[in-house]
Amino acid sequence: MSENNNFIEVRNLKQYFPIKGGIFNGRIGSVKAVDDVSFSIKKGQVMGLVGESGCGKSTTGRTMLKLLDPTDGEMLYDGVDIFKLNNNDLQKYRTKMQIVFQDPYSSLNPRLPVYDIIGEAMLEHKIVSNKEEMMNRVFELMDKCGLFPEQAGRYPHQFSGGQRQRICIARALAVNPEFVVCDEAVSALDVSIQSQIINLLKDLQEDLGLTYLFISHDLSVVKFISDAVAVMYLGEIVEMGSKEQIFENYVHPYTEALLSAAPSFDPRKRNNNKRIILEGDLPSPSNPPSGCRFHTRCPFATDRCKNEAPETFEVEEGHSVKCHFAKERYNK
């Protein structure tokens, strides 16, 4: 374990995608999908990463696992920088880090039965020594994920959406990972099924001591499952802290707007909370606004916000905000 007790550390992560055009199809710009993002996760905890669609949440998760080559930055797994490893050394960490994708149908091979979908990685990474041992492990994982072992010979199209996501979760657990990225793992499911999958993920996290990066735009889900929360806007993290700090003592205007749009089950809060409507659309990450990136939609923006990019300010221990007026808003 690294000295500062952080199991996962992301430092100054950047992921720029080139924009090509012109007569010779040369590079004419970049999409700054993730721009200088830093955060850490303690072992056994859940970090929720929230924000609008297109803000860079999924790209952050995939780049952390090096499914995408980073433009710059570091990703420390228990003190080891994953980005600096060669392919042979990186393979040792592939079993330690897994991902559950958003769409449980497109992420499953329709031509393979469930026992191969879950079990092939076990054989590839020598988690098991033979087919019989693989099948026993597959049955065990299916049972743990709420599936019946007798369904192992079926194909993905024979399952419901919720069952397919259970297969994806079992596949991710097949190689005994310690860190799992849940990339909008419930957003493609019916509301009635979402709670079942969330409870399953939470139970597995507690039983197996897993560490999660939980990516979602659903704040109620994030509040339920997360220990800490990072709020992302246009490739940057604008506020980060414990679950209590973000939901009960938020500071950034963007966080406030997100929370005002989230449904509340408490009638008192539902009546008192005024919905904040952000004007305009999310700017393009290929041409982000100058100064504070949120200033084009922020109801409190000043000339300083338009011209000067804010530094990240720690308003209290463990609670950081990227806003020129973070201190004043915290003391409001």
Side-chain angles (χ1 to χ4, degrees):
M1 181 68 66
S2 58
E3 292 182 4
N4 60 8
N5 201 31
N6 289 323
F7 183 51
I8 301 294
E9 284 188 80
V10 175
R11 298 178 179 172
N12 308 113
L13 180 64
K14 295 181 180 180
Q15 181 59 271
Y16 296 174
F17 297 108
I19 301 174
K20 295 184 177 180
I23 298 174
F24 301 104
N25 200 32
R27 183 168 182 159
I28 59 173
S30 297
V31 175
K32 297 179 179 180
V34 181
D35 200 7
D36 204 24
V37 161
S38 300
F39 60 86
S40 59
I41 314 173
K42 289 182 171 27
K43 190 171 180 64
Q45 291 198 329
V46 182
M47 166 67 83
L49 186 59
V50 301
E52 293 171 281
S53 297
C55 72
K57 305 186 302 294
S58 294
T59 303
T60 297
R62 296 182 189 206
T63 305
M64 286 173 63
L65 302 187
K66 215 178 177 185
L67 299 179
L68 300 169
D69 288 325
T71 302
D72 198 7
E74 297 176 312
M75 157 59 186
L76 303 184
Y77 180 99
D78 206 9
V80 177
D81 189 353
I82 298 299
F83 295 162
K84 291 182 179 177
L85 299 179
N86 60 39
N87 287 335
N88 288 335
D89 291 335
L90 183 61
Q91 282 301 109
K92 301 172 188 176
Y93 285 86
R94 288 297 185 197
T95 58
K96 298 175 184 290
M97 306 182 297
Q98 289 291 302
I99 185 169
V100 178
F101 293 102
Q102 177 177 358
D103 186 349
Y105 192 77
S106 64
S107 61
L108 296 174
N109 188 334
R111 296 180 178 85
L112 292 181
V114 168
Y115 63 79
D116 275 337
I117 289 173
I118 299 175
E120 62 179 352
M122 299 182 197
L123 293 172
E124 177 68 26
H125 291 282
K126 297 180 172 56
I127 305 295
V128 294
S129 54
N130 55 58
K131 196 89 170 179
E132 182 181 356
E133 191 179 343
M134 182 199 84
M135 288 302 297
N136 289 334
R137 175 69 175 149
V138 167
F139 293 155
E140 179 187 332
L141 282 170
M142 291 183 70
D143 182 62
K144 189 180 287 287
C145 292
L147 296 163
F148 297 107
E150 53 266 29
Q151 296 174 312
R154 297 183 184 178
Y155 291 82
H157 72 272
Q158 296 176 286
F159 293 87
S160 67
Q163 289 174 322
R164 286 198 289 265
Q165 195 61 295
R166 291 175 187 271
I167 295 169
C168 292
I169 294 168
R171 178 181 61 181
L173 298 179
V175 292
N176 302 319
E178 297 176 311
F179 174 55
V180 180
V181 174
C182 300
D183 184 12
E184 297 275 12
V186 297
S187 65
L189 306 176
D190 292 341
V191 175
S192 59
I193 305 300
Q194 286 184 5
S195 60
Q196 297 177 20
I197 300 300
I198 288 296
N199 284 322
L200 171 63
L201 287 169
K202 192 169 181 65
D203 290 343
L204 291 170
Q205 185 252 334
E206 293 172 352
D207 292 345
L208 303 176
L210 298 171
T211 303
Y212 286 160
L213 175 67
F214 193 87
I215 298 168
S216 179
H217 61 266
D218 190 327
L219 290 166
S220 60
V221 170
V222 169
K223 186 175 183 180
F224 175 74
I225 199 171
S226 300
D227 299 297
V229 180
V231 181
M232 200 165 186
Y233 181 81
L234 206 63
E236 296 182 336
I237 289 180
V238 296
E239 186 164 9
M240 181 165 52
S242 69
K243 174 171 62 177
E244 292 75 19
Q245 288 169 335
I246 297 300
F247 283 91
E248 304 300 331
N249 203 15
Y250 53 83
V251 174
H252 200 281
Y254 180 61
T255 308
E256 184 178 11
L258 285 181
L259 290 172
S260 77
S264 175
F265 298 101
D266 186 333
R268 294 166 298 178
K269 291 184 178 180
R270 189 163 57 234
N271 293 333
N272 293 335
N273 282 2
K274 183 180 178 182
R275 175 75 186 272
I276 299 172
I277 306 295
L278 295 177
E279 295 183 2
D281 297 323
L282 191 71
S284 170
S286 63
N287 186 28
S290 60
C292 174
R293 294 190 176 183
F294 186 57
H295 86 258
T296 58
R297 305 172 75 192
C298 180
F300 310 106
T302 66
D303 287 340
R304 182 186 179 191
C305 303
K306 297 175 184 177
N307 300 312
E308 181 185 338
E311 298 291 328
T312 299
F313 182 78
E314 191 169 53
V315 294
E316 59 181 318
E317 186 178 355
H319 187 183
S320 58
V321 186
K322 195 166 190 174
C323 176
H324 288 304
F325 306 104
K327 188 175 182 179
E328 293 88 337
R329 288 181 58 80
Y330 177 70
N331 293 323
K332 65 183 182 296

